[in-house]
Amino acid sequence: MNYLKTVFTLTAEDETSLQAARDLLADELGNYGYEAFEETPDGQLVGYIQQDNYLESVVNEVIENRLMSDVTIAYSTEEIENQDWNAAWEEEGFEPIIVKNMITIYDARHTDDSTLFSTPVSIGIHATNAFGTGTHETTRMMVETLLELPLNGKCVLDCGCGTGILGIAALKCGAKHVVSYDIDEWSAENTRYNAELNGVGHQMDILHGDVHILTHVEGIFDVIVANINRNILLDDMEHFHNVLAKGGTLAISGFYEEDAPLLLEKAQSLGMNEVRRKTDNNWCTLVFQTACVL
């Protein structure tokens, strides 16, 4: 997957306005396909996005319509060499994450003994250029949601699987089978690796592609999980609904609390009702259910 790098140069009279503008710019562009950001020592903001997802018109619209009037922004975008952008973070690793005293998510790159952890379930994640280790609020909330669902014997769809953490967690919580897909080839391969690492590879079908790959998948799903971003969720929710069983559950995250009304409206238009909501540090998770057949 080819990536682009956009370097944003922000100018304002005071540093407080500059930092607020950087944070707001990253928040807004994260809804339009930008996957990662970093700040340079001289105060520039650098964003990374898959080449297929980049639209200059969208960047211009965000800058012109969504930011503070006392901040000026210039930017340039260029293609970058394909590489593992998480390499430095992966080398450093992450501390074990305990979810509701039930699941420990640990760094399999630096720990190879799952018996070290006291929770009923432990999941090793070897992250390679993929999102989903439990360190982010949205991942933790989605794992918590899976723990609260009756998963025994269920079929689960994991949309935008990243490292595969949600599908693996679902299987560890009793699900019968998981189909996972991701538009990023790195992520699909990383999910496959982590599934084998955790002994559930035989229960997972892992596909490379976007939501349209579901036209090649047979059957319907009892539970669908999607930790992506607001705009993709809005575009794809109808596709999710089409493969969701009557009385099935859709859990979504990857967006901010203020975006919840848009997603709720979309779900309701498809006949899905909100049954649960979680928030953490302004991130939000919504859980919907379809009507049962009488």
Side-chain angles (χ1 to χ4, degrees):
M1 188 69 65
N2 294 327
Y3 275 78
L4 301 178
K5 176 177 74 173
T6 304
V7 180
F8 299 93
T9 303
L10 297 83
T11 306
E13 293 185 359
D14 63 274
E15 179 58 33
T16 300
S17 295
L18 275 176
Q19 190 57 55
R22 291 188 199 101
D23 293 342
L24 182 57
L25 182 61
D27 286 348
E28 288 292 331
L29 290 174
N31 290 321
Y32 294 96
Y34 277 82
E35 298 178 10
F37 295 92
E38 61 180 350
E39 292 184 20
T40 66
D42 57 359
Q44 292 177 314
L45 180 70
V46 182
Y48 299 93
I49 186 172
Q50 292 179 22
Q51 189 170 24
D52 291 345
N53 294 336
Y54 177 75
L55 288 174
E56 185 175 6
S57 59
V58 169
V59 177
N60 289 334
E61 180 183 354
V62 168
I63 291 174
E64 293 171 6
N65 300 336
R66 307 293 181 89
L67 297 176
M68 296 174 289
S69 59
D70 60 340
V71 179
T72 59
I73 301 174
Y75 72 92
S76 61
T77 300
E78 63 181 9
E79 187 172 355
I80 51 179
E81 181 183 356
N82 190 19
Q83 57 181 288
D84 184 352
W85 301 109
N86 291 333
W89 174 84
E90 291 161 7
E91 186 62 31
E92 182 180 347
F94 63 93
E95 293 296 318
I97 298 145
I98 300 174
V99 181
K100 298 187 74 171
N101 291 318
M102 291 296 295
I103 293 180
T104 299
I105 304 167
Y106 66 93
D107 179 11
R109 187 183 290 264
H110 296 89
T111 303
D112 58 6
D113 185 2
S114 63
T115 64
L116 295 173
F117 309 107
S118 59
T119 53
V121 174
S122 56
I123 299 174
I125 294 296
H126 189 296
T128 304
N129 204 21
F131 176 83
T133 61
T135 58
H136 196 274
E137 294 90 341
T138 59
T139 309
R140 291 197 300 273
M141 288 190 291
M142 290 291 275
V143 174
E144 287 178 4
T145 298
L146 288 170
L147 284 169
E148 296 163 358
L149 295 176
L151 292 175
N152 284 338
K154 303 295 186 181
C155 292
V156 177
L157 174 66
D158 181 9
C159 312
C161 52
T163 63
I165 177 62
L166 297 183
I168 294 168
L171 290 168
K172 293 284 189 177
C173 291
K176 176 176 66 175
H177 186 75
V178 170
V179 174
S180 300
Y181 72 85
D182 201 295
I183 194 172
D184 187 343
E185 188 174 2
W186 280 90
S187 294
E189 289 303 316
N190 195 214
T191 292
R192 185 170 289 106
Y193 180 91
N194 286 320
E196 294 295 337
L197 180 68
N198 287 277
V200 296
H202 62 291
Q203 294 174 271
M204 294 184 74
D205 291 328
I206 303 158
L207 309 172
H208 173 218
D210 62 13
V211 72
H212 296 98
I213 206 165
L214 295 180
T215 59
H216 303 291
V217 176
E218 293 185 3
I220 57 175
F221 299 91
D222 304 294
V223 176
I224 298 177
V225 292
N227 186 14
I228 316 177
N229 69 58
R230 181 194 67 185
N231 289 342
I232 294 177
L233 289 169
L234 287 170
D235 289 341
D236 292 357
M237 203 179 296
E238 185 170 359
H239 296 282
F240 300 159
H241 178 261
N242 290 341
V243 295
L244 184 61
K246 299 298 182 183
T249 299
L250 169 65
I252 61 173
S253 195
F255 52 89
Y256 299 106
E257 289 184 63
E258 52 266 33
D259 296 320
L262 277 174
L263 293 155
L264 179 58
E265 180 182 5
K266 179 67 174 181
Q268 289 175 335
S269 74
L270 295 168
M272 296 187 289
N273 297 314
E274 181 183 355
V275 294
R276 195 168 303 161
R277 180 180 299 207
K278 296 179 182 290
T279 58
D280 187 352
N281 196 26
N282 200 39
W283 293 98
C284 186
T285 294
L286 294 174
V287 183
F288 303 104
Q289 193 168 42
T290 60
C292 296
V293 177
L294 298 178

